[in-house]
């Protein structure tokens, strides 16, 4: 299980510790559900990207988990931010990310978003035929264009983003037209971007996309006399959620892609692979009961703090953080507390027989979990702490119930 947990995770006297702190103590002190982020893992992943592509600009795919504290850590490691809404831009600016390290994406940017992106000095990634004119009117000075390379990533269809029918990006013809239009309007078009999808477990489709990107640039040179200063090959590298899953390391996935690019500024946009493994969610076990031959273990969260099982059929593993060295005694179904039978976090997992009050730890929950949290069933969002060297720092306060009533009129 340690291979799914953050780098600082240990099993010590029967307890899971992260960043030198026993997880049960974190649960007692901060309440549950609680997302625990390991600073060492975040920094190690950022450095792995720097080492895999020296000189590249690495921008964090902020949507994986928008956190000012984590953006600051990544900024210390030299990273920027990839944002796609006013909200994500606000997180990046609050973290002090300079405009020249912010990329503003989106398949349907509002005029307001374009204006704020321009004001921040961000590079706007043009994604629609009418966007050059709208961007110019909003004062955008620098832009990339998003190419749809026409490849189908091997991943859940909701997170494929580069196939021919994708809502994202522009076909080669439309992308050429967008570059020409933007240049005519006085926008500096400095790069071309693609992003093939998320939770990628193999490099093949990305290699094809890189080749199509390079071919596109040759065409842009031939037809418009335009050459890019930067090529942005997106993010998408997956992480391991279960022990049987195989996913390449950053050091295996990135270098073959970069090797096919011409000698320009390379831009990378990882999200999940920076923060996914760094996060562990702690839940308190409540009701344990049998139903039709299934042993249910109910925890104090579920689909409101981690909707990935419902959205993508995602699978997770788990351990009892306070009894981490005990042998498995049975197979259990981990259910959330929401009023839907589909609110199942883990369909089947071997554990020591859980008891009320145990702390269940779910690894690999640092990306697209709290980031996708809702307040369904009137359940407020959990807190998050960052741990390192025996210290825990609250980076996201637990949402109080009063917050749910704040906008009621
Ligand atoms: C979501 C997204 C990313 C990050 O994807 P991960 O799979 O989390 O690495 C990068 N770039 C764009 C344009 C995205 O939409």
């Amino acid at each position: 299980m340690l291979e799914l947990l953050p780098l600082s995770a240990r099993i010590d006297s029967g307890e899971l510790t992260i960043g030198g702190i026993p997880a049960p103590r974190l649960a007692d002190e901060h309440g549950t559900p609680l997302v625990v982020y390991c600073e060492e893992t975040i920094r190690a992943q950022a450095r792995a990207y720097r080492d895999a592509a020296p000189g590249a600009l690495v921008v964090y795919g902020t949507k994986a988990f928008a956190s000012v504290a984590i953006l600051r850590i990544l900024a210390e490691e030299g990273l920027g931010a990839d944002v796609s809404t006013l909200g994500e831009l606000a997180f990046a600016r609050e973290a002090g990310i300079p405009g020249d390290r912010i990329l503003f994406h989106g398949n349907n940017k509002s005029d307001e978003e374009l204006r704020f992106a321009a004001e921040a000095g961000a590079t706007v990634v043009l994604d629609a035929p009418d966007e050059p004119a709208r961007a110019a009117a909003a004062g955008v000075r620098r832009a990339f264009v998003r190419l749809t390379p026409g490849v189908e990533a091997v991943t859940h269809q909701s997170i494929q983003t580069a196939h021919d029918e994708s809502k994202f990006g522009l076909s080669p013809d439309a992308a050429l037209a967008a570059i020409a239009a933007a240049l005519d309007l006085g926008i500096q078009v400095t790069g071309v971007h693609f992003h093939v999808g998320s939770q990628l477990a193999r490099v093949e489709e990305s290699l094809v996309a890189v080749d199509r990107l390079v071919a596109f640039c040759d065409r842009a040179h031939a037809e418009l006399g335009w050459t890019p200063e930067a090529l942005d090959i997106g993010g998408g590298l997956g992480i391991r959620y279960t022990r049987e899953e195989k996913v390449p390391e950053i050091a295996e996935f990135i270098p073959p892609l970069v090797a096919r690019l011409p000698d320009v500024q390379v831009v990378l946009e990882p999200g999940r692979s920076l923060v996914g493994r760094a996060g562990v969610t702690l839940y308190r076990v409540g009701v344990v009961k049998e139903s039709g031959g299934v042993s249910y273990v109910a925890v104090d969260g579920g689909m409101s703090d981690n909707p990935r099982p419902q959205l993508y059929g995602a699978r997770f593993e788990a351990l009892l953080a306070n009894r981490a060295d005990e042998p498995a005694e049975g197979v259990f179904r981990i259910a959330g507390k929401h009023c839907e039978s589909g609110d199942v976090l883990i369909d089947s997992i071997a554990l020591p027989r859980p008891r009320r009050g145990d702390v269940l730890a779910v690894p690999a929950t640092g990306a697209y979990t709290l980031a996708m949290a809702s307040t369904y069933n009137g359940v407020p969002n959990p807190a998050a702490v960052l741990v390192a060297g025996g210290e825990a720092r609250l980076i996201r306060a637990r949402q109080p119930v009063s917050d749910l009533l704040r906008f009621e009129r």
Side-chain angles (χ1 to χ4, degrees), residues 6-369:
L7 297 177
S8 67
R10 307 276 181 275
I11 306 296
D12 192 5
S13 317
E15 286 188 321
L16 169 66
T17 72
I18 309 169
I21 312 179
R25 199 169 95 205
L26 289 168
D28 288 345
E29 288 175 3
H30 296 275
T32 51
L34 179 71
V35 187
V36 181
Y37 279 94
C38 165
E39 183 171 341
E40 181 188 336
T41 307
I42 297 170
R43 289 191 189 273
Q45 296 302 89
R47 287 171 195 169
Y49 270 100
R50 279 198 335 229
D51 294 346
L57 171 63
V58 184
V59 294
Y60 169 52
T62 304
K63 72 179 186 286
F65 179 48
S67 156
V68 172
I70 288 175
L71 280 157
R72 283 198 184 121
I73 290 172
L74 293 171
E76 283 173 16
E77 297 294 339
L79 275 67
D82 145 2
V83 302
S84 60
T85 59
L86 282 184
E88 287 177 356
L89 179 62
F91 276 86
R93 300 206 77 190
E94 183 70 19
I97 311 272
D100 60 5
R101 292 199 180 158
I102 300 178
L103 289 188
F104 201 104
H105 283 284
N107 70 308
N108 185 26
K109 303 174 197 77
S110 67
D111 290 336
E112 193 185 19
E113 284 169 337
L114 289 168
R115 263 199 322 277
F116 273 79
E119 261 171 50
T123 298
V124 168
V125 185
L126 301 172
D127 199 312
D130 66 348
E131 214 162 57
R134 293 179 56 240
V140 170
R141 310 284 301 277
R142 211 172 39 242
F144 288 179
V145 65
R146 179 166 183 163
L147 178 71
T148 309
V151 298
E152 260 182 61
V154 182
T155 188
H156 190 281
Q157 70 175 36
S158 300
I159 47 179
Q160 288 180 336
T161 52
H163 50 298
D164 285 329
E165 288 174 28
S166 176
K167 73 167 182 171
F168 298 104
L170 294 162
S171 68
D173 289 346
L176 276 182
I179 293 173
L183 291 171
D184 274 350
L185 290 158
I187 296 176
Q188 291 172 266
V189 186
T190 53
V192 185
H193 161 271
F194 74 71
H195 174 68
V196 305
S198 198
Q199 184 54 15
L200 307 178
R202 44 182 262 174
V203 76
E204 282 77 2
E205 292 71 24
S206 300
L207 289 170
V208 172
V210 165
D211 290 345
R212 292 189 183 165
L213 174 69
V214 171
F216 172 81
C217 292
D218 290 344
R219 211 183 131 192
H221 183 67
E223 293 183 23
L224 304 175
W226 178 85
T227 32
E229 294 163 26
L231 291 176
D232 179 347
I233 59 172
L237 175 59
I239 62 164
R240 290 175 75 187
Y241 287 94
T242 61
R243 275 170 285 191
E244 64 259 31
E245 237 168 328
K246 295 269 175 289
V247 175
E249 298 289 331
I250 294 166
E252 296 166 334
F253 189 82
I254 296 295
L257 296 172
V258 172
R260 292 197 186 200
L261 293 171
D263 188 19
V264 293
Q265 172 70 60
V266 173
V267 183
L268 304 171
E269 305 179 331
R272 189 189 311 266
S273 52
L274 286 172
V275 298
R277 184 179 173 185
V280 176
T281 307
L282 305 180
Y283 299 96
R284 189 73 70 177
V285 171
V287 166
V288 179
K289 72 178 176 193
E290 302 295 313
S291 175
V294 175
S295 301
Y296 275 94
V297 176
V299 295
D300 54 357
M303 64 192 292
S304 64
D305 60 82
N306 181 359
R308 296 192 65 258
Q310 292 74 32
L311 280 172
Y312 314 118
R315 293 172 58 220
F316 289 94
E317 298 209 24
L319 69 159
L320 294 182
N322 55 316
R323 297 160 58 199
D325 55 357
E326 293 183 21
E329 295 168 313
V331 171
F332 301 88
R333 181 171 297 169
I334 311 298
K337 65 176 286 150
H338 301 82
C339 304
E340 296 212 12
S341 297
D343 180 25
V344 169
L345 196 54
I346 303 174
D347 187 59
S348 158
I349 177 109
L351 289 172
R353 178 161 289 282
R355 300 189 284 257
R356 176 174 286 279
D358 281 342
V359 176
L360 186 89
V362 182
T365 49
Y368 303 106
T369 52

